[in-house]
Short mmCIF file of all heavy atoms in Angstrom, two decimals:
data_model
loop_
_atom_site.label_atom_id
_atom_site.label_comp_id
_atom_site.label_asym_id
_atom_site.label_seq_id
_atom_site.Cartn_x
_atom_site.Cartn_y
_atom_site.Cartn_z
N ILE A 177 -6.49 -8.94 31.08
CA ILE A 177 -6.70 -7.49 30.92
C ILE A 177 -5.41 -6.78 31.31
O ILE A 177 -4.88 -6.99 32.40
CB ILE A 177 -7.87 -7.00 31.80
CG1 ILE A 177 -9.18 -7.64 31.33
CG2 ILE A 177 -7.96 -5.48 31.76
CD1 ILE A 177 -10.36 -7.35 32.23
N TYR A 178 -4.90 -5.97 30.40
CA TYR A 178 -3.67 -5.22 30.67
C TYR A 178 -4.01 -3.78 31.05
O TYR A 178 -4.81 -3.13 30.37
CB TYR A 178 -2.79 -5.19 29.42
CG TYR A 178 -2.23 -6.53 29.02
CD1 TYR A 178 -2.90 -7.34 28.10
CD2 TYR A 178 -1.03 -7.00 29.56
CE1 TYR A 178 -2.40 -8.57 27.74
CE2 TYR A 178 -0.52 -8.23 29.20
CZ TYR A 178 -1.20 -9.01 28.29
OH TYR A 178 -0.70 -10.24 27.91
N ASN A 179 -3.38 -3.30 32.13
CA ASN A 179 -3.49 -1.88 32.47
C ASN A 179 -2.37 -1.15 31.76
O ASN A 179 -1.20 -1.52 31.88
CB ASN A 179 -3.35 -1.69 33.98
CG ASN A 179 -4.44 -2.42 34.74
OD1 ASN A 179 -5.61 -2.40 34.35
ND2 ASN A 179 -4.07 -3.08 35.82
N LEU A 180 -2.74 -0.08 31.05
CA LEU A 180 -1.74 0.60 30.23
C LEU A 180 -1.73 2.11 30.44
O LEU A 180 -2.79 2.72 30.63
CB LEU A 180 -2.02 0.34 28.74
CG LEU A 180 -1.12 -0.69 28.04
CD1 LEU A 180 -1.38 -2.07 28.60
CD2 LEU A 180 -1.37 -0.67 26.55
N GLY A 181 -0.55 2.69 30.33
CA GLY A 181 -0.44 4.14 30.26
C GLY A 181 -0.94 4.62 28.91
O GLY A 181 -1.01 3.84 27.97
N VAL A 182 -1.27 5.89 28.81
CA VAL A 182 -1.88 6.42 27.59
C VAL A 182 -0.95 6.28 26.39
O VAL A 182 -1.39 6.03 25.27
CB VAL A 182 -2.35 7.89 27.78
CG1 VAL A 182 -1.17 8.81 28.09
CG2 VAL A 182 -3.12 8.37 26.56
N PHE A 183 0.34 6.46 26.65
CA PHE A 183 1.32 6.42 25.56
C PHE A 183 1.38 5.03 24.92
O PHE A 183 1.26 4.89 23.69
CB PHE A 183 2.69 6.79 26.18
CG PHE A 183 3.73 7.10 25.17
CD1 PHE A 183 3.51 8.02 24.15
CD2 PHE A 183 4.97 6.48 25.24
CE1 PHE A 183 4.49 8.32 23.23
CE2 PHE A 183 5.96 6.77 24.32
CZ PHE A 183 5.73 7.68 23.31
N CYS A 184 1.51 4.01 25.75
CA CYS A 184 1.55 2.64 25.22
C CYS A 184 0.18 2.23 24.68
O CYS A 184 0.09 1.48 23.71
CB CYS A 184 2.00 1.66 26.30
SG CYS A 184 3.78 1.74 26.63
N LYS A 185 -0.89 2.73 25.29
CA LYS A 185 -2.24 2.43 24.79
C LYS A 185 -2.38 2.91 23.35
O LYS A 185 -2.87 2.17 22.48
CB LYS A 185 -3.29 3.10 25.69
CG LYS A 185 -4.74 2.77 25.35
CD LYS A 185 -5.38 3.70 24.33
CE LYS A 185 -5.68 5.07 24.88
NZ LYS A 185 -6.31 5.94 23.85
N ASN A 186 -1.94 4.14 23.08
CA ASN A 186 -2.06 4.68 21.72
C ASN A 186 -1.23 3.88 20.73
O ASN A 186 -1.70 3.55 19.64
CB ASN A 186 -1.61 6.15 21.69
CG ASN A 186 -2.64 7.06 22.36
OD1 ASN A 186 -3.81 6.68 22.51
ND2 ASN A 186 -2.22 8.23 22.75
N ASN A 187 -0.02 3.55 21.10
CA ASN A 187 0.84 2.80 20.18
C ASN A 187 0.34 1.38 19.98
O ASN A 187 0.41 0.84 18.87
CB ASN A 187 2.28 2.79 20.70
CG ASN A 187 2.96 4.12 20.41
OD1 ASN A 187 2.87 4.64 19.30
ND2 ASN A 187 3.59 4.69 21.40
N ALA A 188 -0.18 0.77 21.04
CA ALA A 188 -0.68 -0.59 20.92
C ALA A 188 -1.92 -0.63 20.02
O ALA A 188 -2.09 -1.55 19.21
CB ALA A 188 -1.00 -1.16 22.29
N THR A 189 -2.78 0.37 20.15
CA THR A 189 -3.99 0.42 19.32
C THR A 189 -3.62 0.54 17.84
O THR A 189 -4.16 -0.17 16.99
CB THR A 189 -4.87 1.62 19.73
OG1 THR A 189 -5.03 1.60 21.15
CG2 THR A 189 -6.23 1.56 19.08
N THR A 190 -2.67 1.42 17.55
CA THR A 190 -2.24 1.59 16.16
C THR A 190 -1.56 0.32 15.65
O THR A 190 -1.85 -0.15 14.55
CB THR A 190 -1.27 2.77 16.04
OG1 THR A 190 -1.88 3.92 16.63
CG2 THR A 190 -0.95 3.08 14.60
N ALA A 191 -0.66 -0.23 16.46
CA ALA A 191 0.06 -1.44 16.04
C ALA A 191 -0.93 -2.57 15.75
O ALA A 191 -0.79 -3.32 14.79
CB ALA A 191 1.04 -1.88 17.13
#
Side-chain angles (χ1 to χ4, degrees):
I177 295 173
Y178 293 93
N179 299 318
L180 257 67
V182 62
F183 193 52
C184 285
K185 185 271 288 180
N186 287 340
N187 282 313
T189 310
T190 307

